[in-house]
Amino acid sequence: MRLSTRHFLIGGILLSVLILFYVKTNHIVFSEHQRFDGCLDRLRELDASINQDVLKARAQLLEDYDSFPDQINEMRRIVGGGASVPSFVSQNGRREIQKDLKGFSETLDQKEELLERFKSQNALLKNSLQYLPLAGTELIKQMPTDEEGRNLEALLNELMRQVLAYSLNPSEDQTTEIQLSLRKLSEWRERHDDVPQDAALASLAAHSNSIVNHKPRVEELTRQLITVPTGARIETIHGLYDSEFSKALQAADSYRAGLYLLCGMLILSIGYTIYALDTANIRLEHRVAERTGDLVRKNNELEMEIAERLRIEVEMERINKKLMDVSRRAGMAEVATSVLHNVGNVLNSVNVSCSVIGETVRKSRIRNVGKVAALFHEHASDMAGFLLHDPTGQKLPGFLAKLSDRLGEEQASVLDELQSLNRNVGHIRDIVAMQQSYGNVGGIQETVPIKELVEDALQMSGAALTRHGVEVVREYETVPPVSVDKHKVLQILVNLIRNAKHALADGGSRHKRLTVRVASDARQIKVSVNDNGIGISPENLTRIFAHGFTTKKDGHGFGLHSGVLAAQDMGGRLTARSDGLGAGATFDLELPLGAGRSTLL
Amino acid sequence: MYAAIAIGLSPGVRSAPVVPALEAEMPAQKRHEPIKPIPLAMDLDARKVALGRMLFNEPRLSRDNTVSCASCHDLRKGGADGKKHPVGIGKSEGQINTPSVFNCAGNVKQFWDGRAATLEEQIDGPLQAAAEMGSTWPEVAGKLRAVPEYAALFKNIYSDGVQPRNIRNAISEFERSLTTPNSRFDKFLRGDDSALSADEKEGYCKFKSYGCTSCHQGVNVGGNMFETLGAMADYFAARGGVTKADYGRFNVTGKSEDRYVFKVPSLRNVALTAPYLHDGTAETLQKAVAIMGRYQLGEELPPKDIEQIVKFLHTLTGEYEGHPL
């Protein structure tokens, strides 16, 4: 299975989705949630604390107002920077929450403004409340003890009681009562506009009025402060945020489910892939086995083919051997032919010698000796006379002398012929002996002087060459002895010489010349057989070594072929050169100087 | 599950007490006093404070390089200038008395009319006011950037170097360091009864019983609220010559009930910061206390009481950097 772009694409997409799901699963940053949630809690806490302090201050239980700016400023800091909406909140939710935070901030401004008014009003109220009893008591202390003084004291006590009661629990009725008391005080002051306490009384009245005026304002501001919807806004934000948070949790859960699903799918697909790979592997193994089987079969076939080839080669070798054999036999026949020819020639001479001897013996004067002997027998009695007197007898000595000469001549002639006969028979024996020496043995490497082999070959063809009037030129260099199969070399050379003889015969040249050249270089010995005969046409130059090629009427076409094979067999080679028809031809037999290849044949 | 996560991750939401526990360092019987001692320790960035100090004394902040923050907020003069009205560049006179820069971080808002919610915002005022420094931020930042020493100092603290908001931040941080703890009164609050004389203690009692602590309370003995000047009597009618500056918080909110409303000034180191009131008309503390009695209480305070209260006010003078002011 090869990895394609498609595989990478699918893998990449799956991985991206997986990472996306993982990121989405983890997109809730709990620290952010904690911080934001904590901020909202803190805002709620601070808001409640401010309200608490407002109520404390209203009840004059708060000594100072430092806590208000501290708390307001902290809320500002939280809204302004601390309460960053967590990143997992959706765009819409974030907008909503930020809008509400802004709204809260505005409400907070409102609350702060109310708070500032509250503080101012409450301070004035407190101031008066604190000062009123002090001033009242001081005044009462200074009151004259007359009736008017007691009246004023009672009035002041009543006023203070009313105002303080009012300050604790303001009501319309009390306001009316206080107004009544203040009117009484005012009347008293009109009656006694010369008392030194007048300014103090005026101040007392002013503070009472201040309390009556400021208390409802403080109450109203307190109401407004408590009801200013900062807390409600925080709750709204909290609600919004909670729903966003649970949405985010749900989304994370969905993504987690998706992640699990995807993981499951991945595991399944990995399992499937493993299964598929396994299957593919098994299939592959099967195929490998099949292929191996195929290969084994092919191998077997090949082996069989090789065996067949070997067999064919062996057969070829056998055939070649047979061919060589035939060739050799043909060669032998060739040799035998020349031997028989030579022997025939010699036998002619033998025949002539025999005829001469027979004629000589048949015509011999030896019978004249018998005639002389019969005369002697007839004249046995008178031998002397006869010799002396008889005319015949008288001629006998001369006749005997002549006969002796004649017989002597005859003997010499016969002896001469016998000698010739003897020589010819010897010649025949030589020829046969030579034929035997080449005919029977082969395949034996011998170190021979190559010139002797060439000479033997020439001698074997010598009669035919002489008959055809071929001039043999020998150009022998001094060459080292070479280790060859003597018989094969001889066979090749005889063949070449015979071919040359034929080429010369067919060439019709007036001056027929056969040149045998022996030369050598560092590696090899070269025997060249050159003729100035009919030559070889270029198209035939390559074909002449082919098996069955011949230009002779009675040729069998394997002379040169077997010659080539024999040359190759000895590690050498046989080549032909010719400048074309009528230009003569040269055959070169090259034999390696090193030990020749051991022959198969 | 969420609970488990909450415990596990615990990002450390601060659950500080809603009200800072200043009381912790005070003896039980002093915990319910309206005045609280100035904390002895602060958590500030020393590098910013140092840079802020340089900038605070830097005349380059003004257009003609003659006026620095310290020109009017002289730390040797209780953080103010001792003048009725400040003198800015070109000898121009401001409209309102210079408030002390000491303990200014403890004020609910800045300026007499509270128009600046933070110290950072406050700096914009004098820096750009034609009668004070008459500068612009780009100009000031440019001038400071040209000073290699500043460029290096800013770069050390702020990644973006010399920027208006960084200048503001450094100055503000320095101003936050300008607290004056350890006044005799604070020592008294922390339990040292011998820190105050009998007169001073009496003054404090008068101060409370006249209702002064209705407004002058908390750590700064004021500064944490606004109040109408002339609550019981018309101060401005009596004084006359009402200017725009006299409208006070009305200039900020535009609401009629805020007319003549001012930030209640802190009385810390008040003995050092004459003249008094937003208009600088009270040359002495005695006068200031009398005016307060007259207009805020509707009462002519007896001179003896005034003297005692003034004696008490003198005990509010604290130390800056370990040295008495």
Side-chain angles (χ1 to χ4, degrees):
Chain A
M1 188 161 67
R2 282 189 51 219
L3 286 175
S4 65
T5 317
R6 200 162 53 88
H7 286 107
F8 281 115
L9 203 66
I10 292 172
I13 289 169
L14 271 178
L15 197 66
S16 309
V17 172
L18 204 68
I19 289 168
L20 180 76
F21 276 22
Y22 179 76
V23 169
K24 286 283 186 185
T25 302
N26 287 284
H27 82 306
I28 295 185
V29 184
F30 278 96
S31 59
E32 286 180 4
H33 162 70
Q34 287 294 316
R35 195 179 307 120
F36 191 71
D37 209 39
C39 282
L40 292 182
D41 281 348
R42 181 68 182 159
L43 282 179
R44 198 186 284 131
E45 200 181 355
L46 286 164
D47 190 54
S49 175
I50 288 173
N51 289 347
Q52 218 176 342
D53 284 348
V54 165
L55 292 175
K56 274 192 204 167
R58 168 175 161 266
Q60 313 304 338
L61 293 171
L62 200 70
E63 300 88 16
D64 64 77
Y65 297 136
D66 279 352
S67 64
F68 289 121
D70 286 350
Q71 291 170 116
I72 291 280
N73 287 341
E74 189 178 342
M75 283 169 100
R76 280 258 157 68
R77 276 199 300 276
I78 290 171
V79 176
S84 53
V85 183
S87 53
F88 54 80
V89 172
S90 69
Q91 284 293 331
N92 276 341
R94 176 183 302 271
R95 249 198 311 279
E96 284 291 303
I97 290 173
Q98 272 163 350
K99 207 178 81 190
D100 278 26
L101 275 171
K102 198 159 165 262
F104 172 78
S105 188
E106 283 160 9
T107 316
L108 194 63
D109 289 347
Q110 238 178 330
K111 186 157 186 160
E112 195 190 15
E113 204 187 317
L114 284 171
L115 204 53
E116 289 306 332
R117 288 192 202 296
F118 172 81
K119 284 193 284 185
S120 299
Q121 299 298 317
N122 196 48
L124 291 175
L125 179 64
K126 189 179 181 180
N127 194 13
S128 294
L129 276 175
Q130 202 151 12
Y131 183 66
L132 187 74
L134 190 85
T137 314
E138 200 66 24
L139 265 171
I140 287 165
K141 269 194 235 164
Q142 297 166 6
M143 277 302 109
T145 51
D146 58 6
E147 197 192 334
E148 279 300 299
R150 279 196 301 277
N151 276 348
L152 184 64
E153 187 184 334
L155 185 61
L156 288 180
N157 277 328
E158 177 63 12
L159 180 64
M160 281 194 288
R161 189 194 59 77
Q162 283 169 344
V163 170
L164 293 178
Y166 176 82
S167 79
L168 290 175
N169 193 12
S171 72
E172 285 297 312
D173 294 352
Q174 284 168 313
T175 318
T176 323
E177 282 176 17
I178 292 168
Q179 295 304 336
L180 198 67
S181 299
L182 282 173
R183 208 171 306 129
K184 284 180 186 168
L185 181 64
S186 174
E187 284 162 13
W188 193 94
R189 278 175 63 203
E190 276 169 25
R191 288 200 300 272
H192 307 86
D193 57 352
D194 54 345
V195 292
Q197 297 91 349
D198 188 58
L201 283 173
S203 171
L204 193 83
H207 280 286
S208 298
N209 267 323
S210 164
I211 290 167
V212 173
N213 286 335
H214 289 111
K215 182 65 186 176
R217 288 186 205 166
V218 168
E219 288 299 299
E220 174 58 20
L221 284 167
T222 307
R223 194 192 59 74
Q224 284 180 16
L225 273 170
I226 303 300
T227 52
V228 115
T230 40
R233 284 203 178 266
I234 296 169
E235 290 316 313
T236 311
I237 294 168
H238 215 147
L240 254 172
Y241 173 66
D242 273 350
S243 78
E244 284 294 328
F245 181 58
S246 57
K247 259 195 271 176
L249 277 178
Q250 265 176 10
D253 281 346
S254 315
Y255 281 117
R256 189 174 294 113
L259 192 67
Y260 291 158
L261 200 70
L262 208 61
C263 282
M265 276 164 65
L266 272 177
I267 289 167
L268 280 179
S269 62
I270 288 167
Y272 172 74
T273 308
I274 290 170
Y275 167 77
L277 278 175
D278 211 37
T279 313
N281 198 28
I282 289 168
R283 209 160 47 226
L284 204 66
E285 277 174 8
H286 278 306
R287 282 184 70 179
V288 167
E290 263 174 43
R291 290 280 163 91
T292 310
D294 276 0
L295 278 174
V296 165
R297 205 168 57 244
K298 291 252 171 79
N299 195 36
N300 285 343
E301 281 173 10
L302 212 62
E303 275 177 7
M304 278 163 73
E305 205 177 299
I306 288 167
E308 178 70 9
R309 279 189 188 204
L310 275 174
R311 201 183 58 73
I312 287 167
E313 265 180 26
V314 167
E315 182 68 11
M316 288 276 281
E317 275 171 14
R318 201 181 57 76
I319 287 167
N320 268 343
K321 193 174 172 185
K322 206 170 163 185
L323 270 174
M324 292 295 283
D325 213 31
V326 168
S327 168
R328 195 171 69 210
R329 272 165 216 247
M332 278 167 67
E334 200 76 41
V335 171
T337 306
S338 58
V339 164
L340 286 177
H341 189 84
N342 292 342
V343 168
N345 281 349
V346 179
L347 277 178
N348 260 345
S349 305
V350 169
N351 238 3
V352 169
S353 294
C354 284
S355 299
V356 169
I357 290 169
E359 199 65 34
T360 307
V361 170
R362 199 164 46 244
K363 289 176 185 169
S364 181
R365 303 298 201 259
I366 202 81
R367 275 166 305 166
N368 292 347
V369 175
K371 283 175 189 167
V372 169
L375 282 172
F376 279 155
H377 196 267
E378 213 183 285
H379 298 290
S381 46
D382 182 9
M383 225 21 179
F386 181 67
L387 287 173
L388 285 164
H389 307 311
D390 193 278
T392 309
Q394 284 173 325
K395 284 181 193 172
L396 260 175
F399 180 73
L400 277 174
K402 280 185 182 167
L403 185 61
S404 172
D405 284 347
R406 196 52 81 91
L407 282 174
E409 279 173 16
E410 276 178 18
Q411 187 193 24
S413 168
V414 167
L415 272 174
D416 207 33
E417 282 304 319
L418 277 175
Q419 204 173 357
S420 173
L421 192 63
N422 196 32
R423 203 176 60 243
N424 280 332
V425 168
H427 195 179
I428 287 167
R429 193 189 61 229
D430 279 354
I431 289 167
V432 170
M434 193 161 71
Q435 196 275 339
Q436 275 173 339
S437 78
Y438 292 123
N440 292 337
V441 288
I444 296 161
Q445 296 287 117
E446 281 177 84
T447 303
V448 292
I450 200 77
K451 274 183 255 177
E452 278 185 17
L453 284 176
V454 175
E455 279 305 310
D456 280 352
L458 282 172
Q459 196 180 339
M460 279 180 188
S461 314
L465 292 173
T466 313
R467 195 165 59 246
H468 287 285
V470 175
E471 182 203 359
V472 177
V473 179
R474 292 171 173 85
E475 293 177 359
Y476 297 163
E477 288 178 14
T478 308
V479 298
V482 65
S483 176
V484 292
D485 185 330
K486 201 168 103 180
H487 168 65
K488 279 180 185 162
V489 175
L490 198 66
Q491 183 194 325
I492 293 165
L493 290 177
V494 167
N495 205 323
L496 291 179
I497 291 165
R498 199 168 56 87
N499 282 346
K501 183 195 74 192
H502 282 296
L504 288 167
D506 293 345
S509 170
R510 202 165 46 82
H511 186 72
K512 297 173 179 131
R513 190 176 67 238
L514 174 73
T515 311
V516 182
R517 198 175 288 117
V518 175
S520 78
D521 59 22
R523 285 176 291 111
Q524 60 189 11
I525 285 176
K526 188 158 88 176
V527 182
S528 304
V529 179
N530 167 263
D531 66 72
N532 58 351
I534 191 163
I536 307 164
S537 66
E539 66 267 24
N540 281 347
L541 204 54
T542 48
R543 291 161 59 199
I544 50 171
F545 294 106
H547 180 234
F549 177 84
T550 182
T551 52
K552 294 184 290 235
K553 282 194 268 314
D554 54 349
H556 36 58
F558 53 69
L560 277 174
H561 177 68
S562 65
V564 165
L565 291 178
Q568 283 171 355
D569 206 45
M570 287 180 292
R573 62 192 190 120
L574 180 60
T575 54
R577 299 182 263 141
S578 173
D579 292 336
L581 285 173
T586 307
F587 286 81
D588 295 320
L589 172 64
E590 292 163 355
L591 296 167
L593 268 177
R597 219 172 77 194
S598 73
T599 175
L600 269 170
L601 296 176
Chain B
M1 182 179 98
Y2 300 167
I5 289 164
I7 291 162
L9 296 176
S10 179
V13 170
R14 195 164 52 100
S15 61
V18 174
V19 179
L22 260 179
E23 291 87 348
E25 54 181 292
M26 294 165 70
Q29 69 271 21
K30 299 279 168 37
R31 279 185 197 164
H32 294 289
E33 295 297 335
I35 298 170
K36 304 288 191 273
I38 294 174
L40 298 169
M42 283 174 298
D43 182 21
L44 295 171
D45 185 329
R47 294 177 307 164
K48 289 184 182 178
V49 170
L51 176 59
R53 187 191 302 274
M54 288 175 67
L55 293 168
F56 192 82
N57 292 287
E58 179 53 73
R60 287 187 182 90
L61 262 53
S62 63
R63 197 180 60 210
D64 60 0
N65 302 330
T66 57
V67 175
S68 72
C69 302
S71 302
C72 294
H73 298 285
D74 191 338
L75 300 188
R76 293 161 304 181
K77 293 180 180 169
D81 53 6
K83 297 187 176 80
K84 184 180 176 193
H85 289 159
V87 177
I89 55 167
K91 304 272 186 276
S92 52
E93 191 183 333
Q95 296 300 303
I96 204 156
N97 182 252
T98 304
S100 172
V101 74
F102 278 119
N103 306 303
C104 57
N107 293 337
V108 60
K109 299 269 194 277
Q110 304 303 328
F111 297 116
W112 280 99
D113 55 13
R115 64 180 183 274
T118 61
L119 290 173
E120 279 85 349
E121 268 182 65
Q122 185 274 334
I123 297 167
D124 287 347
L127 189 113
Q128 295 172 351
E132 297 184 40
M133 292 170 142
S135 273
T136 63
W137 278 117
E139 189 186 337
V140 169
K143 279 199 257 180
L144 295 185
R145 257 184 228 115
V147 181
E149 194 188 358
Y150 275 121
L153 281 169
F154 272 95
K155 201 76 198 166
N156 265 347
I157 304 168
Y158 306 99
S159 57
D160 53 353
V162 181
Q163 296 293 338
R165 73 165 171 284
N166 298 339
I167 298 171
R168 280 192 283 251
N169 180 260
I171 295 176
S172 300
E173 192 77 352
F174 169 64
E175 287 172 340
R176 278 185 273 275
S177 79
L178 295 174
T179 62
T180 59
N182 264 334
S183 64
R184 285 197 288 125
F185 187 72
D186 280 4
K187 287 175 185 164
F188 167 76
L189 286 178
R190 288 197 169 97
D192 182 2
D193 267 349
S194 65
L196 299 188
S197 69
D199 259 3
E200 286 159 352
K201 282 180 194 167
E202 190 55 34
Y204 176 49
C205 285
K206 296 261 165 66
F207 187 77
K208 283 196 287 185
S209 60
Y210 278 124
C212 304
T213 53
S214 298
C215 294
H216 294 282
Q217 31 65 43
V219 172
N220 270 5
V221 200
N224 59 6
M225 60 177 284
F226 294 91
E227 192 53 88
T228 312
L229 177 56
M232 300 303 288
D234 194 335
Y235 170 80
F236 292 99
R239 194 202 73 187
V242 174
T243 65
K244 187 169 180 262
D246 292 327
Y247 290 166
R249 197 152 173 73
F250 172 80
N251 293 331
V252 182
T253 65
K255 290 184 178 170
S256 60
E257 64 250 51
D258 285 329
R259 196 180 297 269
Y260 310 130
V261 169
F262 294 89
K263 188 179 70 187
V264 175
S266 164
L267 297 183
R268 290 278 175 189
N269 314 302
V270 71
L272 306 175
T273 60
Y276 303 104
L277 304 186
H278 77 280
D279 51 13
T281 49
E283 295 90 355
T284 63
L285 266 180
Q286 282 79 356
K287 279 190 182 175
V289 173
I291 287 171
M292 281 293 112
R294 189 178 307 136
Y295 297 101
Q296 299 306 101
L297 196 60
E299 195 78 27
E300 291 300 327
L301 297 181
K304 181 174 167 263
D305 290 0
I306 290 175
E307 279 310 317
Q308 283 177 329
I309 288 172
V310 167
K311 278 183 176 154
F312 153 69
L313 292 176
H314 273 88
T315 68
L316 291 171
T317 302
E319 298 171 354
Y320 173 59
E321 295 185 322
H323 303 290
L325 283 172

